[in-house]
Amino acid sequence: MSSPFPTNLVAAGHSGEHAAGNTNDHAGRIAWVFSSRGEHNVWIADAPNFEARQLTHYVGDDGLPIAALKLTPDGRTVVYARGSEANSAGEIADPTSNVEKRVQQVWAADVDRVEPRLGEPRLLGDMGCDEEGCEDIQISPSGEFAVWSAKKQLWIAPISGKSDANAKAKALIFVRGSSAQPKWSPDGKKIAFVSDRGDHSFVVIYEFGRNTLRYVSPSADRDLYPRWSPDGSQLAFVRLVGKQMKQPLIPQSSLPWAIWVYDVANDSGREIWKSGADLDDSLPLITEDGSFHFAAKNRIVFSSEQDGWNHLYSVATSGGPATLLTPGKFETEDVAVSSDRTSVIYSSNQDDVDRRHLWRVPVEGGTPAALTRGETMEWTPLEIAGKVVCLGSTATTPAMPYVVNSHGREMIAKSALPADFPSSQLVTPKPVIFIAADGWEIHGQLFEPKIEGRRSRQFGPRPALIFIHGGSIRQMMLGFHYMDYYHNAYAMNQYLASRGYVVLSVNYRTGIMYGRHFREPKDGGPRGGAEYKDIVAAGKYLQSLPNVDAKRIGLWGGSYGGYLTAMGLAHDSDLFAAGVDLHGVHDWSVFKEEIPADAPDHDDAVKLAFQSSPNAAIATWRSPVLLIQGDDDRNVPFSQTVDLLQRLRAQKVHVEELIFPDEVHGFLMWKSWIRAYSATEEFFGRELGMK
């Protein structure tokens, strides 16, 4: 965990929705955030050589992450948010014990300025995010202004840093509901955004100068993801069906949706594509920077799971049938349009189910071309100055930025990788497949310790550990992960293997990249906990290995992985000898927001949710457990650990605790991760008898 973890890869000219017509002085400039041992800083590099340099100089494990990074279209200034959000009580996360209020703020830093020193940041305004989070910062096409969403409104600030009163961030305009997803028009004279009213939402256009609002084809449905055409004459958006009251929770119902295109000059909108009504036709997992784009040649690129897999499609703005761009039994993930918007660059597990590689396909359709392949992994692609840049890793090399070339890829900022990073000592996990009791095929990654010859015979069968990811819409892969939480977990699995454990990381059902039927089984989670069968299958698979001691198998995982760890210890203490549960869910039935009071099967759903929880099997829990959680967790209430602890004490189960005051779900402090993982290894060493 000594390596710097890269995130927020961005490029000049990609800050706004479109930057056509602007002079781009640094068209080949990229920027990203490196998080190293708790220090978070912005780095930049310029084409063609992409020599990297550090821009900001924040020092210390301060618990203040950097997010929402953007470059102005001319590449001369970076804009970013620094800090963490408030909880439901309005309290800012501060696990440093410094007793200071640290509101998340928006900052700017000039890339080429020398006096004051390079990268000296200046404050643009408070972001003030709450538990619902904040929207990405959006830069105007001219590079003069930044807009972001916070406190249910849109805020605007000049980037130049003038000292007069007009330089302070201010609310753009008051709008009822919660304003989010702002997008600048290509000419910078308008902003389209979403006004969320709860059971319905509108796409709204704010026009500067006139100071007016225009509601785009308003309806009683939920409109999302506004996207401007390259010339600004049209606006595409998604229309999701509105919320219907008194609907049963079981079985799941579909969420049909449609794509609309709005003609700005004529103030008229029309539906150009509509999904079916089956479960596979439901709105897929689209993110704010996800797979919904207004491309060239009057085409809209979008994601759909209509064939059971998350694929890319495109449709003409005039309507007609959609063209499938990525056919096959695989899924797409990160999506970017090319510089000229005529093709799509995306990451996928095509032909390599437990990795990610980059592909390109024309927006009108054609045969996708692989840009990377082999035993590497790539994600977050961008095209800049005729080059594709991305983030990537391998089984033994942590995540770093890369430029893709005809021979593969070349690492950017290689000097930032510690010279003593132990790549040569790491193992390459093996892809394994095993079958659950009900016939489901489950993928995993097997880490086997490097113990050879006489030492192997001396030690005999090893203790083994099952790692269970959170989410649960995640996938662990055959290399360092693209999310910081799971990059850490992959490093921990490597460390445990170095200590002599056989480690099996399990991609259980309800996870991603194996098709929608796998991600959303009808009896998953609070609807039956069917994914626990996959954990049992993993345990039995380990028992079948000749180098594993069948009596010394443990479980560990966080969040949803903590839930399944607790399920294993509660239901099968004979199979699982010990576990480490990081901020896990132990009783689904207490999550009232997930169980609407007006559902006709409300009581049955609550009962099933409890039966699908570890607390329902507490009477058979005998194996020792280490509970780890921060008490300012905004994802899983700390009460889940408080309650479980009391139940286990009553059962006289051996329980150990590691509690972090004021820490959140994904620990803000690097030292918190180190303490949690050290405690995990020490606990398993005691309970599983590791020599």
Side-chain angles (χ1 to χ4, degrees):
M1 290 174 59
S2 63
S3 63
F5 181 74
T7 57
N8 285 253
L9 179 65
V10 295
H14 289 238
S15 299
E17 183 70 4
H18 305 280
N22 290 291
T23 301
N24 193 338
D25 297 333
H26 298 283
R29 177 162 289 169
I30 62 173
W32 68 92
V33 176
F34 260 154
S35 298
S36 178
R37 297 174 180 261
E39 294 182 353
H40 310 279
N41 281 290
V42 178
W43 284 59
I44 59 170
D46 295 335
N49 297 325
F50 292 103
E51 294 180 3
R53 51 183 171 141
Q54 184 175 336
L55 179 62
T56 62
H57 301 274
Y58 298 111
V59 178
D61 186 10
D62 57 16
L64 294 172
I66 292 177
L69 178 67
K70 284 291 188 296
L71 271 165
T72 52
D74 62 9
R76 292 186 174 275
T77 305
V78 296
V79 182
Y80 56 91
R82 183 169 184 258
S84 64
E85 73 279 2
N87 62 17
S88 58
E91 300 162 341
I92 305 299
D94 186 4
T96 64
S97 301
N98 288 334
V99 195
E100 63 177 73
K101 273 201 170 291
R102 308 180 310 163
V103 177
Q104 189 178 46
Q105 297 173 317
V106 180
W107 296 80
D110 293 328
V111 176
D112 299 317
R113 189 175 181 182
V114 178
E115 295 295 339
R117 69 175 182 168
L118 178 71
E120 187 71 25
R122 56 181 179 272
L123 178 64
L124 299 187
D126 291 345
M127 204 161 192
C129 301
D130 56 23
E131 282 185 301
E132 297 179 355
C134 292
E135 292 299 322
D136 207 0
I137 299 168
Q138 296 292 314
I139 308 299
S140 65
S142 66
E144 296 180 69
F145 295 95
V147 165
W148 62 88
S149 172
K151 301 177 182 178
K152 299 185 177 182
Q153 298 296 324
L154 297 184
W155 297 77
I156 188 169
I159 296 173
S160 62
K162 296 178 181 179
S163 58
D164 57 51
N166 292 328
K168 295 181 180 179
K170 61 181 180 180
L172 182 64
I173 191 171
F174 174 78
V175 183
R176 286 181 54 234
S178 181
S179 299
Q181 302 176 28
K183 291 291 182 182
W184 291 88
S185 62
D187 62 6
K189 296 180 180 180
K190 306 178 186 70
I191 292 178
F193 63 96
V194 172
S195 177
D196 188 348
R197 309 294 174 90
D199 58 0
H200 66 287
S201 61
F202 303 124
V203 168
V204 187
I205 296 176
Y206 171 78
E207 188 166 355
F208 290 90
R210 295 185 178 182
N211 200 36
T212 58
L213 294 174
R214 186 195 304 190
Y215 289 86
V216 175
S217 303
S219 76
D221 288 314
R222 288 171 283 180
D223 293 345
L224 306 164
Y225 311 120
R227 299 290 189 266
W228 292 96
S229 64
D231 63 2
S233 65
Q234 299 178 93
L235 189 71
F237 62 93
V238 166
R239 175 159 287 175
L240 176 64
V241 294
K243 295 181 180 179
Q244 187 174 352
M245 296 184 291
K246 299 182 179 181
Q247 292 300 294
L249 296 169
I250 302 171
Q252 294 172 274
S253 57
S254 64
L255 287 174
W257 58 291
I259 297 174
W260 279 60
V261 170
Y262 174 77
D263 186 296
V264 178
N266 295 322
D267 187 24
S268 63
R270 66 190 186 283
E271 180 183 283
I272 65 165
W273 179 88
K274 186 176 183 178
S275 76
D278 294 336
L279 278 176
D280 284 349
D281 294 305
S282 297
L283 183 70
L285 300 173
I286 298 176
T287 61
E288 174 58 17
D289 287 318
S291 46
F292 186 60
H293 297 271
F294 212 127
K297 302 182 180 181
N298 289 316
R299 296 195 74 84
I300 308 295
V301 174
F302 65 97
S303 178
S304 172
E305 296 177 311
Q306 58 191 272
D307 66 355
W309 300 83
N310 191 46
H311 281 306
L312 295 177
Y313 294 76
S314 75
V315 63
T317 56
S318 58
T323 300
L324 173 60
L325 302 179
T326 59
K329 292 186 177 181
F330 61 87
E331 304 211 322
T332 60
E333 198 166 43
D334 296 341
V335 180
V337 293
S338 62
S339 298
D340 61 7
R341 312 190 76 81
T342 62
S343 64
V344 182
I345 305 167
Y346 60 95
S347 65
S348 170
N349 65 340
Q350 180 176 355
D351 302 331
D352 201 346
V353 66
D354 292 326
R355 291 190 179 92
R356 298 288 187 279
H357 295 301
L358 302 185
W359 297 73
R360 185 195 294 269
V361 65
V363 297
E364 292 180 294
T367 302
L371 302 181
T372 61
R373 56 175 58 85
E375 295 186 0
T376 64
M377 297 203 309
E378 294 81 26
W379 59 90
T380 316
L382 287 174
E383 188 173 57
I384 188 77
K387 301 283 187 179
V388 173
V389 294
C390 65
L391 303 178
S393 70
T394 71
T396 59
T397 306
M400 291 290 286
Y402 288 88
V403 57
V404 177
N405 54 44
S406 59
H407 305 292
R409 63 185 200 182
E410 183 177 350
M411 185 183 293
I412 300 171
K414 189 174 183 179
S415 62
L417 188 63
D420 60 351
F421 189 84
S423 288
S424 62
Q425 301 174 47
L426 303 185
V427 300
T428 298
K430 301 175 182 178
V432 296
I433 297 175
F434 46 91
I435 307 299
D438 56 357
W440 284 62
E441 182 180 278
I442 306 301
H443 290 245
Q445 303 83 44
L446 185 67
F447 299 75
E448 295 184 293
K450 289 184 176 180
I451 301 175
E452 301 174 353
R454 184 177 178 182
R455 285 190 69 210
S456 179
R457 292 191 297 273
Q458 175 186 353
F459 281 104
R462 313 298 303 163
L465 298 171
I466 295 173
F467 170 70
I468 313 168
H469 67 72
S472 63
I473 47 173
R474 306 277 184 263
Q475 181 198 31
M476 296 304 290
M477 295 172 286
L478 296 166
F480 279 90
H481 205 274
Y482 54 74
M483 290 179 62
D484 56 352
Y485 190 108
Y486 301 107
H487 195 273
N488 289 345
Y490 181 90
M492 180 59 173
N493 286 334
Q494 287 279 2
Y495 177 67
L496 290 168
S498 78
R499 301 296 292 168
Y501 295 92
V502 175
V503 182
L504 176 59
S505 177
V506 181
N507 286 336
Y508 54 91
R509 71 191 80 176
T510 72
I512 60 173
M513 308 307 286
Y514 304 106
R516 189 182 183 279
H517 78 288
F518 189 91
R519 193 187 74 240
E520 296 191 14
K522 63 181 181 180
D523 51 357
R527 292 182 171 90
E531 60 272 40
Y532 173 60
K533 297 174 186 177
D534 308 337
I535 308 307
V536 173
K540 292 182 177 179
Y541 171 81
L542 284 174
Q543 285 183 324
S544 73
L545 300 181
N547 60 338
V548 169
D549 184 341
K551 298 295 185 182
R552 292 191 290 166
I553 298 177
L555 300 165
W556 83 279
S559 195
Y560 210 106
Y563 156 65
L564 287 173
T565 293
M567 286 285 281
L569 302 177
H571 285 275
D572 287 285
S573 281
D574 288 338
L575 177 57
F576 303 118
V580 176
D581 171 356
L582 289 89
H583 38 241
V585 173
H586 310 125
D587 186 351
W588 287 118
S589 68
V590 303
F591 291 91
K592 306 298 184 185
E593 67 278 6
E594 303 293 333
I595 308 176
D598 67 351
D601 57 350
H602 174 272
D603 292 346
D604 290 339
V606 170
K607 182 178 180 180
L608 180 58
F610 179 75
Q611 292 172 342
S612 307
S613 304
N615 281 358
I618 206 77
T620 54
W621 186 323
R622 298 187 310 277
S623 296
V625 64
L626 169 61
L627 303 177
I628 302 176
Q629 190 168 14
D631 88 321
D632 193 15
D633 195 320
R634 288 95 189 275
N635 298 65
V636 175
F638 188 67
S639 58
Q640 292 277 310
T641 290
V642 174
D643 177 71
L644 178 63
L645 178 61
Q646 315 318 314
R647 295 173 185 268
L648 294 177
R649 282 172 173 167
Q651 284 293 111
K652 301 189 183 304
V653 173
H654 175 69
V655 186
E656 297 182 22
E657 305 171 66
L658 179 57
I659 304 302
F660 294 104
D662 302 322
E663 262 289 15
V664 298
H665 192 69
F667 304 140
L668 293 172
M669 307 291 290
W670 186 75
K671 68 179 182 180
S672 297
W673 286 108
I674 298 300
R675 282 190 63 196
Y677 285 171
S678 296
T680 295
E681 192 269 335
E682 292 167 2
F683 175 81
F684 282 133
R686 292 192 302 274
E687 297 301 329
L688 300 183
M690 172 58 72
K691 299 177 181 178

